Structure formats: structure tokens, C-alpha cells
Amino acid sequence: MLNWFWAFYEPIKLDTGNHHFDTTSFSVYGDYDHPGADLKITYGYSKDKRPDLKQFMVSMLCVDRNIPIIGKTQDGNSSDKTLNNELLSNISAHLAQYGFTPGASIYVADSAFVTAANLAEAERNNLRFLSRLPANFNECKNAISRAVSADEWQDIGELAESKSVKRPAAAYRSFDTTVTIEDTAYRAIVFHSSSNDKRRQKRVDRMLKSSHDKLKKIVKESIPQSFKCRPDAQRTCGILNQSAGKSLHKIKTEVVEAPKYDRGRPQKGKERQPKHIEYEVNVTIEEDPAKVEKLRLEAGCFVLITNVPAQDHEKAWTGEKLLRLYKEQDGIEKNFGFLKDPAIVNAIFLKKPERVEALGLILLLSLLLWRLVERDLKLYVKNTGNLLPGWDKRMTKSPTAFMMTTKFLNVLVITAGKQRQLAKPLNDIQLQYIKALGISPKCFSEP
């Protein structure tokens, strides 16, 4: 397989304080039956939702939010948990080559990182980490339950920089606690989001329907048409209330008299007299507001796990800072979107795994250059305060590399022997981007 590549150069002052790791899958067409190849292109968990196709994986470690510094093509059936462990075993050696001391950075990864083996490996390498605690851990449920019960949230507010009319920005609040995994205590921060996960809320709705249907069935089986005496009806009411004790609903019962009359009409001028009195139970099933509110509140929570203390030397790592750091994981997700964009690479069909590996390296190097260009553009805007032309002739403070490339589509270079020159001078917009990158227009004629 292609070796890890390290794309850190001294002149480029990248922020290497935090590292973001993730993987993605690339579907391919063809059999790829090469048992002796280093790269195994085979079936695996498809992040493209194409389990019918063979695939290979690409793992990536980024710094400065989305600048790839380590990348590798992986077997198609590789597990994220295993790849995390493989990187953790080697990352200390990589960092040491560039003068980083143990514990000088934070390793950020998704929930696949959280396994007993990976946590132990991070401990052995004195590596600080930040990840999401999977919901299938009992400790995750316990931490959320403690946070909701304590009701001592720290308000964070909105984190989104850009506003959307269709999708309002989520407001967050946090609760700091601890969890224990394999006899080791870790810091856990429970976050609640105002824009609750729709999938989780739908799950709560299904639980409510199931609870209602179950109680409705119990009521139907427990209550006949009527009772001969009031004590029997009241006893049944007690049983029904007890049945609702562990459900998400409350049962309200009322015993009412149900007079029974003889057949036929009463004599004219006389009131109809009941033959005897029986008793009926009226039942109303209602949601338990306290239980449902707690359940919906828990559904809107997630937990981040870390070994970074709240106060690290002179730096405070609050829940807000850790959440902002974890949200920078979207930078690596955007990198995968770049690599999978049909405008960059269409359907992959190469004969040999070695060629697939070479393509993987080319893609990662291309991504590196793309992100470095984008980084320089944003630093220029930040440092100078000068906005750059964006879409629809509007000035923007968030220029992108793609935005820049669209401004140079009409550039034509004429060559005559060894001489090169522009067909026409660069326009004002193009010159602004050239200036932002710190290069001269002569780059077109004197490469």
C-alpha cells in the first residue's frame, strides 16, 4: 500500500494543535480479483450506500480544520475502529519527527474511535483525544440521564456563523460529568441542541404510539361491558393505574352507574324504574407530560468524551470550546465531498489495484493543494480586511478555491515556441485573486 505521506512544510505555518481523522469508501466497477495485491478491493460497509459494488477506503488526518497531512488507501473491508487504532500506533512517531511533544495536540475523531483498544492506545501514547460517545454505550445513556435530572445546564447559544431562513441555527447548552469505561474515568460533556435530531424525535413518537396501543389493549382486555358491583369496578381501576406506572401515559378512570331496566316501555304516567344498578368504567389515556418532556429532552442530547481536563495549564477547555473543535470535523467531511465530486473524479474503473493506489495518492495531493489555496485566500481576507469578489458579483469574506477557479475560465495562454503570453490582460477580479495568493500575473507566462 502507499505509505503515509506527510504534507507539512516549514514555510507553511499550519495550526497543528488539533488533528481530525476520518475515513470514506470509494465504490468501483469490475471484479478486481487480485488475491496477491497489497490493496484489497473488495466488499465492505459502503458509505456510498452501494453494497453491490466492491470498494476501497481512504483514511485521512487533517490539521488546521481541513488541510490533509496524512492519507492512505485502505482495503475495502477495513473497519474505522481498526484504522483508528493503526493510526494511533504510529501518530506519535510522525509527530516526533516534526518536534511535537506528547500531549501537545488533540486527536479528534468520530464515534468509531471509542473502543477499549483505542482508548488504551491513546493512553499508552499520551495522546489527548475528543470523540463522540456512541449511543449504544450504557455510560452515554447514564450521562444524559444525569444531565437531564440535574437540570444545571451551561448556556452556549448559537454556534453557526451563517444564518439560514429555512433552517434556524441550533442553540446549545452543556453539562459536564464523567463516565467510566474499562475502569478508567473520562470527562464527558452532555450537549443539548434546540434543533433536536428529527430521527430521534420520530423514534420518540413511535415509542409513544406503542405505549398508547399497549395500554389500550390492556384496557380492552380488563374491562367487561359493566361490573355488578362498585368495588369490582374500583379494583379494576387500581389495576389499570398500576399498569400505566412504567409507561409513557397516564390512565384516568371514572366509575359511573349504569342503570339496567326491564324490557318494554314503562306504563303511561309512571317513571321508568331500574331493575338493578351496574357499574361501568370510563377510561382516558393521556401522555404523561413529565415523562414525555424528559424523553424528548434526552432525545435532543449527545455526549462528547475526552481526556482533556477542563483546565489545562493556563488554557480552559470549556464545553463550548470542545464542541466548536468537534464541529470542525465537518472540514474533513467536505474533503471527502471534494474527492467524490463527479467533476473531479467520475466512475472509477482501473485494471489493477496498484493504479487505484496511485490514483488515491494523486487525489490526496490534489486535495492538499486545493485546500492550501483556499486557506491562503481566507487568511488574506482575515489579515487585510479586503473582501474578494464572490458569486453574483457580491463581495465575500469566505472565498473558496472553487469560487476562484470560476474567475479564470476565460484565461487563454498563447505559446509560440518557448514564448508564452496571455491572449488578453487579466481583469480586475482576476488581479484581486492573484494578489490574495501573493503571486504575480507572470505565473501564466513564466511558469
Side-chain angles (χ1 to χ4, degrees):
M1 294 185 186
L2 290 175
N3 294 325
W4 300 99
F5 72 85
W6 188 266
F8 177 84
Y9 299 100
E10 187 62 29
I12 304 175
K13 300 297 183 180
L14 299 178
D15 178 6
T16 56
N18 306 308
H19 300 78
H20 296 266
F21 177 80
D22 206 351
T23 67
T24 193
S25 60
F26 284 81
S27 300
V28 297
Y29 295 85
D31 289 336
Y32 285 95
D33 189 14
H34 301 277
D38 290 335
L39 178 65
K40 295 179 176 60
I41 301 178
T42 184
Y43 298 105
Y45 175 73
S46 175
K47 298 185 179 182
D48 295 329
K49 297 183 179 179
R50 288 299 306 268
D52 57 311
L53 297 178
K54 289 185 177 181
Q55 64 180 25
F56 66 94
M57 306 282 291
V58 169
S59 61
M60 188 185 302
L61 185 74
C62 295
V63 297
D64 213 343
R65 187 165 186 153
N66 61 4
I67 308 296
I69 58 170
I70 295 178
K72 192 177 184 182
T73 51
Q74 307 279 2
D75 294 342
N77 58 356
S78 299
S79 165
D80 280 9
K81 297 177 181 180
T82 304
L83 296 179
N84 265 287
N85 192 267
E86 180 183 332
L87 178 59
L88 290 172
S89 302
N90 295 282
I91 192 171
S92 294
H94 284 295
L95 294 175
Q97 293 178 21
Y98 294 89
F100 292 100
T101 58
S105 59
I106 299 178
Y107 179 81
V108 186
D110 61 16
S111 59
F113 164 82
V114 185
T115 66
N118 289 342
L119 293 174
E121 192 67 33
E123 190 73 21
R124 280 193 292 272
N125 288 281
N126 191 23
L127 183 70
R128 299 191 301 173
F129 68 85
L130 174 65
S131 183
R132 182 165 177 166
L133 185 60
N136 59 353
F137 275 63
N138 286 330
E139 282 293 281
C140 179
K141 301 172 186 176
N142 295 339
I144 291 175
S145 181
R146 286 197 297 273
V148 173
S149 299
D151 195 23
E152 297 176 353
W153 301 96
Q154 296 293 322
D155 287 327
I156 295 176
E158 298 178 358
L159 299 184
E161 296 179 359
S162 58
K163 305 292 182 180
S164 172
V165 177
K166 295 183 179 179
R167 188 177 180 182
Y172 296 91
R173 45 185 180 162
S174 67
F175 177 83
D176 224 299
T177 184
T178 59
V179 294
T180 302
I181 299 176
E182 296 292 327
D183 299 324
T184 303
Y186 298 96
R187 183 184 174 197
I189 306 95
V190 182
F191 294 94
H192 177 264
S193 168
S194 61
S195 61
N196 295 334
D197 189 324
K198 292 183 179 180
R199 177 174 54 84
R200 292 184 178 181
Q201 293 302 325
K202 287 181 179 179
R203 179 173 174 269
V204 173
D205 293 337
R206 290 195 298 270
M207 292 173 65
L208 287 171
K209 185 179 185 306
S210 175
S211 173
H212 184 276
D213 292 345
K214 185 177 180 180
L215 284 179
K216 190 176 180 180
K217 182 179 179 181
I218 292 174
V219 169
K220 185 177 181 180
E221 294 174 348
S222 302
I223 300 178
Q225 290 185 344
S226 60
F227 293 89
K228 298 298 183 183
C229 64
R230 183 181 289 272
D232 286 347
Q234 292 174 334
R235 191 179 303 110
T236 301
C237 290
I239 294 173
L240 290 176
N241 288 323
Q242 191 175 3
S243 300
K246 294 183 179 180
S247 74
L248 299 173
H249 290 77
K250 296 188 296 185
I251 289 181
K252 291 184 177 180
T253 57
E254 181 185 11
V255 178
V256 296
E257 294 183 352
K260 300 298 178 181
Y261 300 92
D262 287 330
R263 293 182 178 180
R265 295 180 179 178
Q267 293 182 5
K268 190 175 182 179
K270 292 186 178 181
E271 290 186 5
R272 192 178 188 185
Q273 297 296 324
K275 183 179 179 181
H276 61 274
I277 301 295
E278 293 186 1
Y279 300 89
E280 294 179 351
V281 177
N282 294 335
V283 179
T284 304
I285 302 176
E286 298 178 346
E287 291 183 4
D288 188 327
K291 291 182 179 179
V292 174
E293 183 182 0
K294 182 175 183 291
L295 193 65
R296 290 199 181 278
L297 191 61
E298 290 178 349
C301 295
F302 61 94
V303 183
L304 295 185
I305 181 173
T306 183
N307 57 358
V308 179
Q311 189 67 36
D312 186 25
H313 301 294
E314 297 181 356
K315 191 171 185 179
W317 282 101
T318 62
E320 179 181 352
K321 283 187 178 180
L322 290 173
L323 180 59
R324 287 184 182 276
L325 175 58
Y326 186 77
K327 278 184 166 291
E328 289 182 3
Q329 190 77 355
D330 72 339
I332 198 169
E333 296 290 347
K334 291 178 181 178
N335 284 349
F336 291 143
F338 170 88
L339 295 179
K340 293 185 176 185
D341 191 331
I344 305 298
V345 177
N346 211 324
I348 298 175
F349 184 66
L350 298 170
K351 284 187 176 182
K352 299 179 180 180
E354 306 91 83
R355 295 182 180 180
V356 173
E357 288 186 87
L359 176 63
L361 177 60
I362 292 171
L363 289 176
L364 288 168
L365 289 172
S366 301
L367 173 64
L368 170 64
L369 295 174
W370 185 266
R371 291 306 182 205
L372 288 175
V373 167
E374 192 167 271
R375 173 182 175 274
D376 283 353
L377 293 176
K378 292 185 177 181
L379 282 177
Y380 170 80
V381 172
K382 181 180 178 181
N383 295 333
T384 65
N386 298 328
L387 304 184
L388 289 172
W391 304 121
D392 300 326
K393 298 182 180 180
R394 296 178 181 177
M395 304 303 286
T396 179
K397 63 179 180 180
S398 299
T400 64
F402 177 67
M403 188 183 294
M404 182 200 70
T405 57
T406 61
K407 311 301 182 184
F408 290 84
L409 293 177
N410 63 345
V411 172
L412 180 63
V413 178
I414 300 174
T415 60
K418 294 183 179 181
Q419 299 296 319
R420 295 164 57 95
Q421 68 178 47
L422 290 170
K424 59 180 180 179
L426 299 177
N427 59 39
D428 181 61
I429 292 178
Q430 292 165 344
L431 288 173
Q432 288 184 60
Y433 274 97
I434 288 291
K435 181 180 178 181
L437 292 175
I439 56 180
S440 167
K442 292 182 179 180
C443 64
F444 293 98
S445 57
E446 300 177 7

